[in-house]
Structures are given as C-alpha cells and as structure tokens.
Amino acid sequence: MPTRAELLTAAGRTIPDVLAPCLDVLFCGINPGLWSAWSGHHFARPGNRFWPALHRGGFTPRQFRPTEQDELLALGLGVTNVVDRGSARADELTAAELRTGGVALAAKVIRYAPRWLAVLGVTAYRDAFDEPKASIGRQERTIGTTRVWVLPNPSGLNAHYTLDALASEFGSLREATMAE
C-alpha cells in the first residue's frame, strides 16, 4: 500500500493503454487517479468499482484485479483514458485538457477500430466531445465505425450510483454488444 507521499509523486504520471486492434469494447476512463498512476494499473484504487461492475455486468468470467488488466485483451476488451496524466481527482482537469484528450481519443479509436467505445463518466464525455446534452447509454455519435456508449464513472466518489446500478449499466452495454 503506498504512502501519501508516494501517491503525491504519481501526479502527472501516465500509464500504458491496454489496447489492440479490433476489440469488442474499449473502456475509457477520465484519467488515472494517483493510485493507478503510482501502480501502473487502470482503476487500481481500492474501492473503485470498475472491476466488480465489469464482472457483474457480464464482461469477465470472474472479477479481475487491476494487476490482471492485460488479460482483458483475450476477452476482446481494452482500457484507455481521455486524459493521460494522473491526478488526485478528475475535477482537477481543465476543459482544454478534456477537449484535447477527446481529439486524441478519437484518433486512437480510428486507428484501433474497436466495435464500441465506452466512456466512463458522462461529464467527461460531454466536455471531451462537446456533447453538452449527452446522457448515460448509447450515443448517436460514432467515431469511424465505432459505436459510443457512456457509462457512469465507477469511482467511489460517484455516490449517485451503487455497485448494483453500475453493474446494471455495464450489463446494458454487454447486451448491446451481444446483439450487434
């Protein structure tokens, strides 16, 4: 477990994407939290609900640990972020960083062509893609041939969604990926 000082040194660090061409779903976080930036693994902070929601939503046969993130590729899944730099909270990001991140994300999606892009956080999606009225669920927007879905942010700071509600939203995306 990292100390507070170790976590603070992770500010600004980046972590590698879990990415390959033609995935079924590319999950996109807002940016790495300090715990993730420190560890080098996506959604690594204890209490982050990404891994449980991913499993309970039907994407993985069991709940993976952040250190097992590379095993997602064999399931047709990947992980990236809108903004690469680690921070203590997503609200530390500027609107300009999110817009620039949206442009970079769109280029990545065009290059790797996943079937679906799932952005984890409606506010980040709205800012990154200039879609102020976007809501949770399937979006009208496509990026190349990639369909877009917005999921709630799985951070423990997002108290609006319980784990059950998050898992249900992940399950709705899973159903859509199976139908098409």
Side-chain angles (χ1 to χ4, degrees):
M1 184 167 267
T3 65
R4 177 168 166 69
E6 288 172 326
L7 288 176
L8 292 175
T9 66
R13 284 190 199 162
T14 62
I15 58 177
D17 291 333
V18 177
L19 189 55
C22 303
L23 294 171
D24 290 326
V25 181
L26 177 59
F27 291 94
C28 181
I30 301 168
N31 75 309
L34 294 181
W35 202 295
S36 291
W38 172 81
S39 72
H41 299 103
H42 295 273
F43 304 104
R45 182 179 181 83
N48 188 293
R49 299 166 303 164
F50 174 78
W51 298 102
L54 190 69
H55 170 61
R56 290 176 60 182
F59 283 100
T60 59
R62 61 178 175 77
Q63 185 175 318
F64 287 14
R65 296 182 308 275
T67 56
E68 299 174 303
Q69 66 186 18
D70 291 336
E71 293 180 33
L72 292 174
L73 294 174
L75 299 174
L77 307 173
V79 184
T80 189
N81 288 291
V82 175
V83 174
D84 291 334
R85 78 171 177 94
S87 68
R89 295 175 54 110
D91 62 10
E92 295 175 22
L93 304 175
T94 68
E97 279 181 293
L98 288 164
R99 283 190 303 274
T100 299
V103 170
L105 176 59
K108 195 178 292 185
V109 167
I110 294 292
R111 179 176 179 202
Y112 286 94
R115 288 179 50 230
W116 289 90
L117 170 67
V119 179
L120 297 152
V122 69
T123 301
Y125 176 80
R126 289 172 181 161
D127 292 344
F129 291 98
D130 194 28
E131 295 274 353
K133 296 185 181 192
S135 59
I136 299 297
R138 186 178 183 153
Q139 306 301 303
E140 292 297 318
R141 170 189 297 267
T142 58
I143 302 171
T145 60
T146 300
R147 292 172 293 261
V148 179
W149 195 283
V150 175
L151 289 167
N153 183 341
S155 167
L157 297 174
N158 184 5
H160 290 71
Y161 280 88
T162 64
L163 178 54
D164 286 342
L166 281 170
S168 177
E169 295 293 344
F170 274 68
S172 294
L173 170 58
R174 178 67 177 151
E175 288 174 18
T177 67
M178 301 297 286
E180 295 182 19

